[in-house]
Amino acid sequence: MLKISSLKKLVTDSMAIDLGTANTIIAVKGRGVVVDEPSLVAINEMSEEIVAFGQEAADMSGREGRDVVVRAPLIGGVVGDFERTKKMLAHFVKKAKTGGSNISLQAVMSMVSDVTHVEQRALLNAAEDSGIGKVYMMEEGLAAAFGAGVLPNDKRGSAIVDIGAGTTNIAIIAKGAIVHSTSERYGSNEINAVLATHLRRHRGLQVGIETTEFLKTSFASAFLPEEISKTIAVRGRDVQTGSPSAVDITSGEVYPIVESIVRRIAQTVKDTLTELRPEVAADIYDRGVILTGGGALLDGIDKYMRNFINLPVTVSEEPRYATVMGLVKMFDDTKLLEKVSRNELGVLQNAEIPFEA
Ligand SMILES: Nc1ncnc2c1ncn2[C@@H]1O[C@H](COP(=O)(O)OP(=O)(O)OP(=O)(O)O)[C@@H](O)[C@H]1O
Ligand SMILES: [Mg+2]
């Protein structure tokens, strides 16, 4: 016969949640990544009700009907719209559950290191209200490091740079703890913003997010392209006439726009590396920097960073999943999970795992 404790384990999903500005990624222990969707909701403006979440909402974006608007409830890695973040999280958690409503949950969730008390509380509340029994919160930088293969018992320092959509998070890890960190509230989405501004101001073309995303992921690169006259047609709306329109742009035109943001990110990394203690600096000198997050997928960003900081730079395996992979690893080592979790004392840490009726 099964003991109560093992029975509890059987019906408990252990969930890792990376609630990002651009994407919500959920992995379940033993099942891998089960949710990978844009952090978006579509709202009916008349009734204020949410009509779609995630990918379904993204598919409406830019072409929504007259009464529908698509919104990102998280801004710069934090909860901008609490009610809608909560509903979105609940939707994704439900989707990630192993079926059946009597499955209880424990979850570990990431947060940026400079998160304020109020923001942390908002995230915890959102998770609690999604029907998760026990929630641990952990710093994103540490999760990304573990996900990128840094070992918790490694005495020497490692540097992780997570380039997300709305944040750039630099964490220096040693012995399974953060010894230094910097978090900036700008990330890869800044590239979309400057591309859109350039097209509007200099080429008279208004473009949507889909267009800048395509330009960034399929055409742009972080180093000067060999063939600067390579062109691509960009479509949108003429600023003057309002009519549907298109312009051709070259890779030589796109490069300096993208480079301005990559340089800013690289400068933040460089500045952070000057603030380290000598021993840690020596470790980083030998080991260099690991890039994680979706922004690390920009063509040539590792090469650019290598030249800029004069140190080895590598991109982690599956950089978009580094944080969630680090989070899910915590369920293999509960002692470590207790050590690294940053919950407000006693509030949720010791809560019993409740069973839903
Ligand atoms: N192939 C690619 N080339 C360039 N950029 C990419 C590529 N794929 C994804 N990105 C960018 O990565 C970003 C999303 O990364 P990620 O999913 O790590 O962000 P997030 O975790 O949601 O954000 P944050 O950590 O800031 O809250 C987006 O800005 C996206 O445009
Ligand atoms: Mg992220």
Side-chain angles (χ1 to χ4, degrees):
M1 253 204 25
L2 285 168
K3 280 196 197 129
I4 290 294
S5 59
S6 53
L7 194 66
K8 251 190 176 179
K9 256 189 210 127
L10 265 179
V11 293
T12 301
D13 266 347
S14 296
M15 214 173 258
I17 306 171
D18 174 8
L19 189 62
T21 310
N23 300 294
T24 300
I25 299 168
I26 301 182
V28 173
K29 192 183 164 195
R31 291 201 292 142
V33 173
V34 294
V35 171
D36 176 357
E37 294 198 41
S39 302
L40 293 173
V41 293
I43 301 151
N44 181 316
E45 279 195 305
M46 307 298 275
S47 64
E48 297 261 306
E49 259 166 59
I50 297 177
V51 294
F53 295 95
Q55 191 55 54
E56 207 189 319
D59 292 342
M60 294 175 154
S61 180
R63 298 190 188 85
E64 50 273 61
R66 249 180 301 171
D67 299 338
V68 176
V69 288
V70 178
R71 292 263 180 277
L74 293 139
I75 305 154
V78 302
V79 180
D81 178 338
F82 179 60
E83 281 308 312
R84 286 173 180 141
T85 299
K86 208 162 80 178
K87 287 188 179 137
M88 185 179 75
L89 185 60
H91 169 86
F92 288 139
V93 165
K94 196 169 157 209
K95 214 171 165 178
K97 277 188 180 184
T98 326
S101 60
N102 57 345
I103 304 281
S104 80
L105 288 175
Q106 61 172 342
V108 57
M109 199 161 137
S110 57
M111 58 184 188
V112 292
S113 339
D114 72 339
V115 75
T116 65
H117 224 69
V118 173
E119 291 165 349
Q120 184 180 350
R121 192 67 243 169
L123 280 173
L124 268 174
N125 283 344
E128 272 182 301
D129 289 358
S130 312
I132 299 169
K134 186 167 178 172
V135 185
Y136 298 91
M137 299 212 69
M138 179 176 168
E139 282 180 63
E140 195 177 39
L142 205 51
F146 294 151
V150 173
L151 297 173
N153 54 6
D154 188 350
K155 288 193 195 72
R156 297 182 60 203
S158 300
I160 311 300
V161 178
D162 184 89
I163 307 167
T167 60
T168 298
N169 196 18
I170 304 159
I172 316 296
I173 318 292
K175 278 188 262 174
I178 293 185
V179 295
H180 190 87
S181 79
T182 311
S183 177
E184 297 292 342
R185 295 199 171 177
Y186 60 81
S188 183
N189 276 2
E190 214 65 39
I191 296 175
N192 299 65
V194 290
L195 284 170
T197 305
H198 173 86
L199 285 164
R200 197 182 63 241
R201 283 210 195 129
H202 300 280
R203 306 301 300 273
L205 192 73
Q206 243 181 317
V207 296
I209 177 83
E210 246 176 63
T211 303
T212 55
E213 192 68 11
F214 176 77
L215 264 182
K216 179 171 79 173
T217 58
S218 311
F219 190 70
S221 73
F223 55 87
L224 192 62
E226 265 166 38
E227 213 210 309
I228 55 167
S229 55
K230 197 170 99 187
T231 64
I232 191 168
V234 182
R235 296 171 197 84
R237 178 175 183 270
D238 188 285
V239 173
Q240 298 276 311
T241 66
S243 306
S245 181
V247 298
D248 280 341
I249 57 167
T250 64
S251 47
E253 183 178 348
V254 167
Y255 166 72
I257 304 162
V258 172
E259 195 265 347
S260 67
I261 303 303
V262 176
R263 192 191 331 125
R264 189 167 156 201
I265 293 171
Q267 188 64 50
T268 309
V269 175
K270 198 173 188 173
D271 292 345
T272 301
L273 296 181
T274 63
E275 295 160 4
L276 306 179
R277 289 204 315 269
E279 299 85 348
V280 180
D283 293 341
I284 306 305
Y285 180 82
D286 287 342
R287 293 179 159 188
V289 166
I290 304 171
L291 304 182
T292 63
L297 290 168
L298 179 73
D299 187 32
I301 197 167
D302 48 343
K303 190 168 141 189
Y304 186 97
M305 193 80 78
R306 205 173 297 137
N307 287 335
F308 199 92
I309 63 174
N310 250 312
L311 292 175
V313 175
T314 51
V315 177
S316 82
E317 205 180 301
E318 294 212 72
R320 292 182 64 249
Y321 290 165
T323 300
V324 87
M325 285 306 158
L327 290 171
V328 87
K329 273 185 192 169
M330 293 302 101
F331 294 118
D332 297 332
D333 189 342
T334 29
K335 266 213 183 104
L336 183 64
L337 177 58
E338 294 287 344
K339 186 185 139 196
V340 299
S341 72
R342 281 247 319 249
N343 294 23
E344 286 166 284
L345 277 181
V347 178
L348 288 152
Q349 209 124 302
N350 305 317
E352 257 299 291
I353 302 173
F355 282 82
E356 279 175 32

